Amino acid sequence: MWVRDDRYMNFGGGCFAQVLSILTVETFSNNLDMSNRLENGGRGCLKSAGQVANMVRMDDIMIFLWSRNSSTRTELFNFLAGPTHDWSWWKFIPQRVRHPTSGAQLLLVSMPDADSHFMFEKKQGFRRILGRMDKAGVKFSTHIWLHDIYEHWHIINGMPGGWSCLKGIFEGDVKVEMDNMTFLSVGWEDVSLKNGQEEEQVIQKALKSDVKKGLAFAQLPLMDNGEAWHVIDGIIDVTRALLGGGAGTEDRSKRLSVIADDIRERKKNRDEEDSRVRLLQDELGELYAELNKTEYGRSLRGKFRKADDDQKRIMEPLLAQLDTEGLEPKEKEKLERMIEEEYLLCLRDFRGHFAEVRAMGIRVGYNLREFYGLREPKKRFGLF
């Protein structure tokens, strides 16, 4: 039978009062800890902005990367600037970078997350950086908003998450116009082109007022170091042209769209080439398996290997010379002619070995025939 025990109902000095006391202390401690973290985060935000300001130089090309969260910026930033260990979402993270082809100095800055936390500190820190840029006489800077096209759940009525916070940072005396902002979508590897473009159209419609003010749209279809720089160069070029009066606002998006199409075309060609190489390797593997069945076949396989080694020994140094910078036109023409002659000699050796393969009654695959320019065999050999 249950009996009420008033010891546990004693509000004056019993167990309940002790539990309440413990909970009160823990809640106060947690609130204090949260308050300290927020205070430290705010100070860290301002301190990191000061570090960026101290790095600014007159000749810098400054690129600011914005996004709703740091994970969207991380991959591109690492491709352009190398791995960065500090990805505190509330910090301004700078990295000085030398352009891989021109050698120009760039100051790449990953901005704090575009959210409602530390808005005062973010705006104040950004204002400090802009002030330092004006004082140093920085000739060119541009801003890039990164949007992961795969993360469609961050889109609300067409508006990307964080965009309103970005606009809040730009309000007032922080002078950043939309004609110096590019909306760069990434993550295209994870979505179909059709779905991604449909989502981008929805976003463009939602941001039509910013588009009218000069906001440009760009795509990075493939997260690759070379292609990333290709897109960044395009953004710099078209933005400079616009700010210099050499292009209209619509031209920026159109020209950047051409760059994205070029990247997709190159990727398509690489994929097709990779597919051909795999097919060639498969057919070559089948051919070698057949040759290994007889002593004569194994001897013939050795001839193929020797021909391949000879081709590499002869062709690779010539191709390396052809890639040498500052090559005179006549010297380049001579090298190209020599490469073609040597290639034809190597090709003749391979074709001779394939003739022996056919004489053995062994089928040569379609892709090998196409690659080495072999004539179609006659049916009496039974190779079809």
Side-chain angles (χ1 to χ4, degrees):
M1 178 179 179
W2 178 79
V3 178
R4 173 175 171 174
D5 190 340
D6 288 335
R7 288 178 301 172
Y8 297 101
M9 301 300 292
N10 185 346
F11 283 68
C15 181
F16 183 84
Q18 294 176 13
V19 171
L20 182 62
S21 175
I22 292 171
L23 290 175
T24 302
V25 171
E26 287 182 350
T27 301
F28 176 78
S29 177
N30 289 337
N31 289 340
L32 182 62
D33 184 50
M34 177 62 73
S35 177
N36 289 336
R37 286 204 299 269
L38 290 173
E39 185 177 351
N40 290 335
R43 284 200 299 264
C45 179
L46 289 172
K47 182 179 179 181
S48 65
Q51 292 170 344
V52 175
N54 291 335
M55 293 178 68
V56 173
R57 299 175 186 170
M58 181 178 67
D59 295 332
D60 283 335
I61 296 173
M62 294 194 65
I63 300 175
F64 297 92
L65 300 180
W66 301 82
S67 66
R68 175 185 171 275
N69 54 56
S70 60
S71 61
T72 309
R73 303 187 299 276
T74 303
E75 192 171 9
L76 179 61
F77 190 92
N78 288 344
F79 265 123
L80 299 175
T84 302
H85 300 293
D86 186 359
W87 271 106
S88 302
W89 56 266
W90 60 88
K91 288 184 178 181
F92 297 81
I93 300 175
Q95 183 65 48
R96 189 167 297 285
V97 182
R98 185 176 294 277
H99 192 282
T101 54
S102 69
Q105 286 286 339
L106 287 84
L107 184 56
L108 194 66
V109 184
S110 175
M111 304 299 280
D113 284 3
D115 57 25
S116 59
H117 297 93
F118 309 129
M119 280 293 287
F120 173 79
E121 289 84 356
K122 291 172 185 176
K123 189 162 185 172
Q124 188 175 356
F126 186 40
R127 187 186 295 116
R128 180 177 179 182
I129 294 170
L130 293 178
R132 174 58 185 161
M133 289 168 60
D134 289 341
K135 187 175 181 180
V138 172
K139 295 181 176 63
F140 179 79
S141 65
T142 192
H143 300 261
I144 300 173
W145 174 271
L146 288 163
H147 170 71
D148 192 330
I149 201 73
Y150 175 73
E151 297 182 354
H152 53 84
W153 51 87
H154 292 315
I155 303 296
I156 302 175
N157 297 324
M159 187 71 67
W163 189 259
S164 59
C165 292
L166 174 77
K167 298 292 291 293
I169 295 173
F170 286 176
E171 287 176 352
D173 57 348
V174 177
K175 298 177 181 179
V176 176
E177 303 296 339
M178 283 295 115
D179 58 3
N180 198 15
M181 171 66 73
T182 302
F183 191 104
L184 176 61
S185 54
V186 297
W188 288 88
E189 299 94 332
D190 301 318
V191 297
S192 69
L193 181 60
K194 179 177 179 292
N195 290 342
Q197 289 181 335
E198 287 177 353
E199 179 175 311
E200 192 173 80
Q201 288 173 3
V202 171
I203 295 172
Q204 289 180 9
K205 186 176 180 180
L207 301 182
K208 60 183 178 181
S209 62
D210 292 320
V211 173
K212 288 180 180 178
K213 295 175 184 176
L215 175 66
F217 279 77
Q219 299 173 4
L220 177 55
L222 179 66
M223 191 59 78
D224 169 86
N225 185 275
E227 304 298 10
W229 276 111
H230 188 37
V231 171
I232 294 297
D233 286 343
I235 291 173
I236 292 173
D237 290 343
V238 299
T239 303
R240 269 182 167 158
L242 174 64
L243 298 179
T249 55
E250 292 184 2
D251 291 339
R252 282 212 303 155
S253 292
K254 288 179 180 178
R255 289 169 63 180
L256 292 172
S257 176
V258 170
I259 292 174
D261 291 341
D262 288 344
I263 292 174
R264 288 192 173 94
E265 184 64 26
R266 284 197 296 274
K267 183 179 184 302
K268 178 184 175 183
N269 292 338
R270 285 197 300 269
D271 289 345
E272 290 176 352
E273 182 62 25
D274 290 344
S275 177
R276 282 195 293 270
V277 169
R278 285 193 297 271
L279 290 171
L280 282 169
Q281 289 174 337
D282 290 344
E283 291 181 1
L284 199 58
E286 293 173 3
L287 175 61
Y288 284 171
E290 288 295 319
L291 291 175
N292 282 337
K293 292 178 180 179
T294 65
E295 184 177 349
Y296 181 77
R298 288 190 290 273
S299 172
L300 186 52
R301 179 176 178 176
K303 292 181 181 180
F304 274 110
R305 285 181 172 173
K306 183 179 184 303
D308 186 51
D309 291 340
D310 289 344
Q311 185 181 35
K312 289 177 181 177
R313 177 177 52 81
I314 295 169
M315 299 295 288
E316 287 181 357
L318 293 174
L319 292 171
Q321 289 181 50
L322 193 63
D323 290 336
T324 304
E325 292 185 10
L327 203 62
E328 294 292 332
K330 287 185 178 180
E331 190 176 357
K332 183 178 180 181
E333 184 180 346
K334 181 181 177 181
L335 267 174
E336 288 175 343
R337 190 166 54 250
M338 189 182 302
I339 288 170
E340 184 177 0
E341 291 172 356
E342 292 294 344
Y343 174 74
L344 290 174
L345 289 173
C346 293
L347 190 59
R348 186 181 64 182
D349 289 341
F350 277 107
R351 285 173 175 171
H353 301 328
F354 278 115
E356 292 186 67
V357 169
R358 283 174 165 172
M360 293 176 65
I362 297 175
R363 180 183 181 277
V364 178
Y366 170 80
N367 292 284
L368 284 173
R369 296 201 306 269
E370 286 290 307
F371 184 78
Y372 287 101
L374 306 178
R375 293 181 179 179
E376 293 291 339
K378 296 180 180 180
K379 288 188 178 182
R380 69 170 180 268
F381 288 106
L383 300 180
F384 282 171

